[in-house]
Coordinates of all heavy atoms in Angstrom, one line a residue:
M1137 N -38.5 -10.9 83.9 CA -38.8 -10.2 82.7 C -40.3 -9.8 82.7 O -41.2 -10.7 82.9 CB -38.5 -11.0 81.5 CG -38.7 -10.3 80.2 SD -38.2 -10.9 78.7 CE -37.7 -12.6 78.8
A1138 N -40.6 -8.6 82.6 CA -42.0 -8.1 82.6 C -42.7 -8.4 81.2 O -42.0 -8.3 80.2 CB -42.1 -6.6 82.9
A1139 N -43.9 -8.7 81.3 CA -44.7 -9.0 80.1 C -45.0 -7.7 79.4 O -45.3 -6.7 80.0 CB -46.0 -9.8 80.4
K1140 N -45.0 -7.7 78.0 CA -45.3 -6.5 77.3 C -46.8 -6.5 77.1 O -47.5 -7.5 76.9 CB -44.6 -6.6 75.9 CG -43.1 -6.4 76.0 CD -42.4 -6.7 74.7 CE -42.8 -6.0 73.5 NZ -41.9 -6.2 72.3
A1141 N -47.4 -5.3 77.1 CA -48.8 -5.1 76.9 C -49.1 -5.4 75.4 O -48.4 -5.1 74.5 CB -49.2 -3.7 77.3
I1142 N -50.3 -6.0 75.2 CA -50.8 -6.3 73.9 C -51.4 -5.0 73.3 O -52.2 -4.4 74.0 CB -51.8 -7.4 73.9 CG1 -51.2 -8.7 74.4 CG2 -52.4 -7.6 72.5 CD1 -52.2 -9.8 74.6
S1143 N -50.9 -4.6 72.1 CA -51.5 -3.4 71.5 C -52.0 -3.8 70.1 O -51.6 -4.7 69.5 CB -50.5 -2.3 71.4 OG -49.4 -2.7 70.6
S1144 N -52.9 -3.0 69.6 CA -53.5 -3.2 68.3 C -52.5 -2.8 67.2 O -51.8 -1.8 67.4 CB -54.8 -2.3 68.2 OG -55.3 -2.4 66.9
P1145 N -52.5 -3.5 66.1 CA -51.6 -3.1 65.0 C -52.2 -1.9 64.2 O -51.5 -1.3 63.5 CB -51.6 -4.4 64.1 CG -52.8 -5.1 64.5 CD -53.1 -4.8 65.9
V1146 N -53.5 -1.6 64.5 CA -54.1 -0.5 63.8 C -54.4 0.5 64.9 O -55.0 0.2 66.0 CB -55.4 -1.0 63.1 CG1 -56.2 0.2 62.5 CG2 -55.1 -2.0 62.1
P1147 N -54.1 1.8 64.7 CA -54.4 2.8 65.7 C -55.9 2.9 66.0 O -56.8 2.8 65.1 CB -53.9 4.1 65.1 CG -52.9 3.7 64.1 CD -53.4 2.4 63.6
V1148 N -56.3 3.1 67.2 CA -57.7 3.1 67.6 C -58.5 4.2 66.9 O -59.7 4.1 66.6 CB -57.8 3.3 69.2 CG1 -59.3 3.4 69.6 CG2 -57.1 2.1 69.9
D1149 N -57.8 5.3 66.6 CA -58.5 6.4 65.9 C -58.9 6.1 64.5 O -59.8 6.7 64.0 CB -57.5 7.6 65.8 CG -57.2 8.2 67.2 OD1 -57.9 7.9 68.2 OD2 -56.1 8.9 67.3
W1150 N -58.4 5.0 63.9 CA -58.7 4.6 62.6 C -59.9 3.7 62.5 O -60.5 3.5 61.5 CB -57.6 3.9 61.9 CG -56.4 4.8 61.6 CD1 -56.2 6.1 61.9 CD2 -55.2 4.3 60.8 NE1 -55.0 6.5 61.4 CE2 -54.4 5.4 60.8 CE3 -54.9 3.2 60.2 CZ2 -53.2 5.4 60.1 CZ3 -53.7 3.1 59.6 CH2 -52.8 4.2 59.5
Y1151 N -60.4 3.2 63.7 CA -61.5 2.2 63.7 C -62.8 2.7 63.0 O -63.3 2.0 62.1 CB -61.8 1.8 65.1 CG -60.8 0.9 65.8 CD1 -60.9 0.6 67.1 CD2 -59.7 0.3 65.1 CE1 -60.0 -0.2 67.8 CE2 -58.8 -0.5 65.7 CZ -58.9 -0.7 67.0 OH -58.0 -1.5 67.7
P1152 N -63.3 3.9 63.3 CA -64.5 4.4 62.6 C -64.3 4.5 61.1 O -65.2 4.1 60.3 CB -64.8 5.7 63.3 CG -64.1 5.7 64.6 CD -62.9 4.8 64.3
T1153 N -63.2 5.1 60.7 CA -62.9 5.3 59.3 C -62.8 3.9 58.6 O -63.4 3.7 57.5 CB -61.6 6.1 59.1 OG1 -61.7 7.3 59.8 CG2 -61.4 6.3 57.6
L1154 N -62.1 3.0 59.1 CA -62.0 1.7 58.5 C -63.3 1.0 58.5 O -63.6 0.3 57.5 CB -61.0 0.8 59.3 CG -59.5 1.1 59.1 CD1 -58.6 0.4 60.0 CD2 -59.1 0.8 57.6
A1155 N -64.1 1.2 59.5 CA -65.4 0.5 59.5 C -66.3 1.0 58.4 O -66.9 0.3 57.6 CB -66.1 0.8 60.8
V1156 N -66.3 2.4 58.2 CA -67.2 2.9 57.1 C -66.7 2.5 55.7 O -67.4 2.1 54.9 CB -67.2 4.5 57.3 CG1 -67.8 5.1 56.0 CG2 -68.0 4.9 58.5
V1157 N -65.3 2.6 55.6 CA -64.8 2.3 54.2 C -65.0 0.8 53.9 O -65.4 0.5 52.8 CB -63.3 2.7 54.2 CG1 -62.6 2.1 53.0 CG2 -63.1 4.2 54.3
M1158 N -64.7 -0.1 54.8 CA -64.8 -1.5 54.5 C -66.2 -1.9 54.3 O -66.5 -2.7 53.4 CB -64.1 -2.3 55.6 CG -62.6 -2.2 55.6 SD -61.8 -3.4 56.6 CE -60.3 -3.5 55.8
V1159 N -67.2 -1.4 55.1 CA -68.6 -1.8 54.9 C -69.1 -1.2 53.6 O -69.8 -1.9 52.8 CB -69.4 -1.3 56.1 CG1 -70.9 -1.4 55.8 CG2 -69.1 -2.1 57.4
A1160 N -68.6 0.0 53.2 CA -69.1 0.6 52.0 C -68.5 -0.2 50.8 O -69.3 -0.5 49.8 CB -68.6 2.0 51.9
V1161 N -67.3 -0.6 50.8 CA -66.7 -1.4 49.7 C -67.4 -2.8 49.7 O -67.7 -3.3 48.6 CB -65.2 -1.5 49.9 CG1 -64.6 -2.5 48.9 CG2 -64.5 -0.2 49.8
G1162 N -67.6 -3.4 50.8 CA -68.3 -4.7 50.9 C -69.7 -4.6 50.3 O -70.1 -5.5 49.5
L1163 N -70.4 -3.5 50.6 CA -71.8 -3.3 50.0 C -71.7 -3.1 48.5 O -72.6 -3.5 47.8 CB -72.5 -2.2 50.7 CG -72.9 -2.5 52.2 CD1 -73.5 -1.3 52.8 CD2 -73.9 -3.7 52.2
M1164 N -70.7 -2.4 48.0 CA -70.5 -2.2 46.6 C -70.3 -3.5 45.9 O -70.9 -3.8 44.8 CB -69.4 -1.2 46.3 CG -69.8 0.2 46.5 SD -68.6 1.4 45.9 CE -67.4 1.4 47.2
F1165 N -69.4 -4.4 46.4 CA -69.2 -5.7 45.8 C -70.5 -6.5 45.9 O -70.8 -7.3 45.0 CB -68.0 -6.4 46.5 CG -66.7 -6.0 45.9 CD1 -65.9 -5.1 46.5 CD2 -66.3 -6.5 44.7 CE1 -64.6 -4.8 46.0 CE2 -65.1 -6.2 44.1 CZ -64.3 -5.3 44.8
T1166 N -71.2 -6.4 47.0 CA -72.5 -7.2 47.1 C -73.5 -6.7 46.1 O -74.1 -7.5 45.4 CB -73.1 -7.0 48.5 OG1 -72.1 -7.4 49.5 CG2 -74.3 -7.8 48.7
A1167 N -73.6 -5.4 45.9 CA -74.5 -4.9 44.9 C -74.0 -5.3 43.5 O -74.9 -5.7 42.6 CB -74.5 -3.3 44.9
S1168 N -72.7 -5.3 43.2 CA -72.2 -5.7 42.0 C -72.6 -7.2 41.7 O -72.9 -7.6 40.6 CB -70.7 -5.6 41.9 OG -70.1 -6.2 40.8
F1169 N -72.5 -8.0 42.8 CA -72.8 -9.4 42.6 C -74.3 -9.6 42.3 O -74.6 -10.4 41.4 CB -72.5 -10.1 44.0 CG -72.9 -11.6 44.0 CD1 -72.1 -12.5 43.4 CD2 -74.1 -12.0 44.6 CE1 -72.5 -13.9 43.4 CE2 -74.4 -13.3 44.6 CZ -73.6 -14.3 44.0
F1170 N -75.2 -8.9 43.0 CA -76.6 -9.0 42.7 C -77.0 -8.5 41.3 O -77.8 -9.1 40.6 CB -77.4 -8.3 43.8 CG -77.5 -9.0 45.1 CD1 -77.2 -8.4 46.3 CD2 -78.0 -10.3 45.1 CE1 -77.3 -9.1 47.5 CE2 -78.0 -11.1 46.3 CZ -77.7 -10.4 47.5
I1171 N -76.4 -7.4 40.9 CA -76.6 -6.9 39.6 C -76.2 -7.9 38.5 O -76.8 -8.1 37.5 CB -76.0 -5.5 39.4 CG1 -76.7 -4.5 40.2 CG2 -75.9 -5.1 37.9 CD1 -75.9 -3.2 40.3
Y1172 N -75.0 -8.5 38.7 CA -74.5 -9.5 37.8 C -75.4 -10.7 37.7 O -75.7 -11.2 36.6 CB -73.1 -9.9 38.2 CG -72.5 -11.0 37.4 CD1 -72.0 -10.7 36.1 CD2 -72.4 -12.3 37.8 CE1 -71.4 -11.7 35.3 CE2 -71.9 -13.3 37.1 CZ -71.4 -13.0 35.8 OH -70.8 -14.0 35.0
E1173 N -75.9 -11.1 38.8 CA -76.8 -12.3 38.9 C -78.2 -11.9 38.2 O -78.8 -12.8 37.5 CB -77.1 -12.7 40.3 CG -75.9 -13.4 40.9 CD -75.5 -14.7 40.3 OE1 -76.4 -15.5 40.0 OE2 -74.3 -14.9 40.1
A1174 N -78.6 -10.7 38.4 CA -79.9 -10.4 37.8 C -79.9 -10.0 36.3 O -80.9 -10.2 35.6 CB -80.5 -9.2 38.6
T1175 N -78.8 -9.6 35.8 CA -78.7 -9.1 34.4 C -78.1 -10.1 33.5 O -78.2 -10.0 32.3 CB -78.0 -7.8 34.3 OG1 -76.6 -8.0 34.8 CG2 -78.7 -6.7 35.1
S1176 N -77.4 -11.2 34.0 CA -76.8 -12.1 33.0 C -77.7 -13.4 32.9 O -78.4 -13.7 33.9 CB -75.4 -12.5 33.5 OG -75.5 -13.1 34.8
S1177 N -77.6 -14.0 31.7 CA -78.4 -15.2 31.5 C -77.6 -16.4 32.2 O -76.5 -16.3 32.5 CB -78.6 -15.5 30.1 OG -77.3 -15.7 29.5
R1178 N -78.3 -17.4 32.4 CA -77.7 -18.6 33.0 C -76.6 -19.1 32.3 O -75.6 -19.6 32.8 CB -78.8 -19.7 33.2 CG -79.8 -19.4 34.3 CD -80.6 -20.6 34.6 NE -81.6 -20.3 35.6 CZ -81.6 -20.8 36.8 NH1 -80.7 -21.7 37.1 NH2 -82.5 -20.5 37.7
R1179 N -76.6 -19.1 31.0 CA -75.5 -19.6 30.1 C -74.3 -18.8 30.1 O -73.2 -19.2 29.8 CB -76.1 -19.9 28.7 CG -77.1 -21.0 28.7 CD -77.5 -21.3 27.4 NE -78.6 -22.4 27.4 CZ -79.4 -22.6 26.5 NH1 -79.4 -21.9 25.4 NH2 -80.3 -23.6 26.7
S1180 N -74.5 -17.5 30.3 CA -73.3 -16.6 30.2 C -72.6 -16.3 31.5 O -71.7 -15.6 31.6 CB -73.7 -15.2 29.6 OG -74.6 -14.5 30.5
R1181 N -73.1 -16.9 32.6 CA -72.5 -16.6 33.9 C -71.2 -17.4 34.1 O -71.0 -18.5 33.5 CB -73.5 -17.1 35.0 CG -74.7 -16.2 35.2 CD -75.6 -16.6 36.3 NE -76.8 -15.9 36.3 CZ -77.9 -16.3 36.9 NH1 -77.9 -17.4 37.6 NH2 -79.0 -15.5 36.9
S1182 N -70.4 -16.8 34.9 CA -69.1 -17.4 35.2 C -69.0 -17.8 36.7 O -69.1 -16.9 37.5 CB -67.9 -16.5 34.8 OG -66.7 -17.0 35.3
L1183 N -68.8 -19.0 37.0 CA -68.8 -19.5 38.4 C -67.6 -18.8 39.1 O -67.7 -18.4 40.2 CB -68.7 -21.0 38.5 CG -68.6 -21.6 39.9 CD1 -69.9 -21.2 40.7 CD2 -68.4 -23.1 39.8
A1184 N -66.4 -18.7 38.4 CA -65.2 -18.1 39.0 C -65.5 -16.7 39.4 O -65.1 -16.2 40.4 CB -64.1 -18.2 38.0
K1185 N -66.2 -15.9 38.5 CA -66.5 -14.5 38.8 C -67.4 -14.4 39.9 O -67.3 -13.5 40.8 CB -67.0 -13.8 37.5 CG -67.3 -12.4 37.8 CD -67.7 -11.6 36.6 CE -68.0 -10.2 36.9 NZ -68.4 -9.3 35.8
E1186 N -68.4 -15.3 40.0 CA -69.4 -15.2 41.1 C -68.7 -15.5 42.4 O -68.9 -14.8 43.4 CB -70.5 -16.3 40.9 CG -71.4 -16.0 39.7 CD -72.4 -17.0 39.5 OE1 -72.5 -18.0 40.3 OE2 -73.1 -17.0 38.5
I1187 N -67.8 -16.5 42.5 CA -67.1 -16.9 43.7 C -66.2 -15.8 44.1 O -66.1 -15.5 45.3 CB -66.4 -18.3 43.6 CG1 -67.5 -19.4 43.5 CG2 -65.5 -18.5 44.7 CD1 -66.9 -20.7 43.2
A1188 N -65.5 -15.2 43.2 CA -64.5 -14.2 43.5 C -65.2 -12.9 44.0 O -64.8 -12.4 45.1 CB -63.7 -13.8 42.2
T1189 N -66.3 -12.5 43.4 CA -67.0 -11.4 43.8 C -67.6 -11.6 45.2 O -67.5 -10.7 46.1 CB -68.1 -11.0 42.8 OG1 -67.5 -10.8 41.5 CG2 -68.8 -9.7 43.2
A1190 N -68.2 -12.8 45.4 CA -68.8 -13.1 46.7 C -67.7 -13.1 47.8 O -68.0 -12.7 48.9 CB -69.6 -14.4 46.6
A1191 N -66.6 -13.7 47.5 CA -65.5 -13.8 48.5 C -65.0 -12.5 48.9 O -64.7 -12.2 50.1 CB -64.4 -14.7 48.0
I1192 N -64.8 -11.6 47.9 CA -64.3 -10.2 48.2 C -65.3 -9.5 49.0 O -64.9 -8.8 50.0 CB -63.9 -9.5 46.9 CG1 -62.8 -10.2 46.2 CG2 -63.7 -8.0 47.1 CD1 -62.5 -9.7 44.8
A1193 N -66.6 -9.6 48.7 CA -67.6 -8.9 49.5 C -67.6 -9.4 50.9 O -67.8 -8.7 51.9 CB -69.0 -9.1 48.8
S1194 N -67.5 -10.7 51.0 CA -67.5 -11.4 52.3 C -66.4 -10.9 53.2 O -66.6 -10.6 54.4 CB -67.5 -12.9 52.2 OG -67.4 -13.5 53.4
V1195 N -65.2 -10.8 52.7 CA -64.0 -10.4 53.4 C -64.2 -8.9 53.9 O -64.0 -8.6 55.0 CB -62.7 -10.6 52.6 CG1 -61.6 -9.8 53.2 CG2 -62.4 -12.0 52.4
F1196 N -64.6 -8.0 52.9 CA -64.8 -6.6 53.3 C -65.9 -6.4 54.3 O -65.7 -5.7 55.3 CB -65.0 -5.8 52.1 CG -63.7 -5.3 51.4 CD1 -63.3 -6.0 50.2 CD2 -62.9 -4.3 51.9 CE1 -62.2 -5.6 49.6 CE2 -61.8 -4.0 51.3 CZ -61.4 -4.6 50.1
L1197 N -67.0 -7.1 54.2 CA -68.1 -7.0 55.1 C -67.7 -7.6 56.5 O -68.1 -7.1 57.5 CB -69.4 -7.6 54.6 CG -70.0 -6.9 53.5 CD1 -71.2 -7.7 52.9 CD2 -70.5 -5.5 53.9
G1198 N -66.9 -8.7 56.5 CA -66.5 -9.3 57.7 C -65.6 -8.4 58.5 O -65.8 -8.1 59.7
F1199 N -64.5 -7.8 57.8 CA -63.6 -6.9 58.5 C -64.3 -5.6 58.9 O -64.0 -5.0 59.9 CB -62.4 -6.7 57.7 CG -61.3 -7.8 57.9 CD1 -61.1 -8.6 56.8 CD2 -60.7 -7.9 59.0 CE1 -60.2 -9.7 56.9 CE2 -59.7 -9.0 59.2 CZ -59.5 -9.8 58.1
G1200 N -65.2 -5.2 58.0 CA -66.0 -4.0 58.3 C -66.8 -4.1 59.6 O -66.9 -3.2 60.4
S1201 N -67.5 -5.3 59.7 CA -68.3 -5.6 60.9 C -67.4 -5.6 62.2 O -67.7 -5.1 63.2 CB -69.0 -6.9 60.8 OG -69.9 -6.9 59.7
L1202 N -66.2 -6.2 62.0 CA -65.2 -6.2 63.1 C -64.9 -4.8 63.6 O -64.9 -4.5 64.7 CB -64.0 -6.9 62.7 CG -62.8 -6.9 63.7 CD1 -63.1 -7.7 65.0 CD2 -61.5 -7.4 63.1
F1203 N -64.6 -3.9 62.6 CA -64.2 -2.5 63.0 C -65.4 -1.7 63.5 O -65.2 -0.8 64.3 CB -63.5 -1.9 61.8 CG -62.1 -2.3 61.6 CD1 -61.6 -3.0 60.6 CD2 -61.1 -2.0 62.6 CE1 -60.3 -3.4 60.4 CE2 -59.8 -2.4 62.5 CZ -59.4 -3.1 61.4
V1204 N -66.6 -2.1 63.0 CA -67.8 -1.4 63.6 C -67.9 -1.8 65.1 O -68.2 -0.9 65.9 CB -69.1 -1.8 62.8 CG1 -70.3 -1.5 63.6 CG2 -69.1 -1.2 61.5
L1205 N -67.7 -3.0 65.4 CA -67.7 -3.5 66.8 C -66.6 -2.8 67.6 O -66.9 -2.3 68.7 CB -67.6 -5.0 66.9 CG -68.9 -5.8 66.4 CD1 -68.5 -7.3 66.4 CD2 -70.0 -5.5 67.3
L1206 N -65.4 -2.8 67.1 CA -64.3 -2.2 67.8 C -64.5 -0.7 68.0 O -64.2 -0.1 69.0 CB -63.0 -2.4 67.0 CG -62.5 -3.8 67.0 CD1 -61.3 -4.0 66.1 CD2 -62.2 -4.4 68.4
A1207 N -65.1 0.0 66.9 CA -65.3 1.5 67.1 C -66.4 1.8 68.1 O -66.3 2.8 68.7 CB -65.7 2.0 65.7
S1208 N -67.3 0.9 68.3 CA -68.4 1.1 69.2 C -68.0 0.7 70.7 O -68.8 0.8 71.6 CB -69.7 0.4 68.8 OG -69.5 -1.0 68.8
G1209 N -66.8 0.1 70.8 CA -66.4 -0.2 72.2 C -66.6 -1.7 72.5 O -66.3 -2.1 73.7
V1210 N -67.0 -2.5 71.6 CA -67.1 -3.9 71.9 C -65.8 -4.6 71.4 O -65.6 -4.8 70.2 CB -68.4 -4.5 71.1 CG1 -68.5 -6.0 71.4 CG2 -69.6 -3.8 71.5
Y1211 N -65.0 -4.9 72.3 CA -63.7 -5.5 71.9 C -63.7 -7.0 71.9 O -63.9 -7.7 72.8 CB -62.6 -5.0 72.9 CG -62.4 -3.5 72.9 CD1 -62.9 -2.7 73.8 CD2 -61.8 -2.9 71.8 CE1 -62.8 -1.3 73.8 CE2 -61.6 -1.6 71.7 CZ -62.1 -0.8 72.7 OH -62.0 0.6 72.6
V1212 N -63.6 -7.5 70.6 CA -63.7 -8.9 70.4 C -62.4 -9.5 70.0 O -61.5 -8.8 69.6 CB -64.7 -9.2 69.3 CG1 -66.1 -8.9 69.7 CG2 -64.4 -8.5 68.0

């Protein structure tokens, strides 16, 4: 039995678009996080909101970085 070639679940043509979109969304969540931290007082801050916003930004920036590398030809 011949082995099947490994293929990407995402078409290669989508890599640049996904990279731009995910990095942009990640930067928007990061900006939202910094604005929230700068404009709210210490007593009115919510730890759950901070962690959720930071986690979402981290996921989008992480996958955005992955697709930037894939779009530029660095296959990781």
Side-chain angles (χ1 to χ4, degrees):
M1137 181 171 14
K1140 290 168 58 175
I1142 298 174
S1143 64
S1144 172
V1146 178
V1148 177
D1149 296 338
W1150 290 8
Y1151 289 170
T1153 305
L1154 283 172
V1156 169
V1157 169
M1158 290 191 153
V1159 168
V1161 171
L1163 289 175
M1164 282 190 279
F1165 274 103
T1166 303
S1168 169
F1169 177 79
F1170 283 127
I1171 291 169
Y1172 177 75
E1173 290 294 316
T1175 59
S1176 62
S1177 67
R1178 286 187 182 249
R1179 293 185 180 158
S1180 67
R1181 289 183 188 162
S1182 168
L1183 181 62
K1185 182 174 179 177
E1186 291 177 9
I1187 291 175
T1189 306
I1192 293 169
S1194 176
V1195 167
F1196 275 104
L1197 288 174
F1199 279 108
S1201 299
L1202 172 69
F1203 282 112
V1204 165
L1205 290 172
L1206 291 175
S1208 64
V1210 179
Y1211 295 105
V1212 293

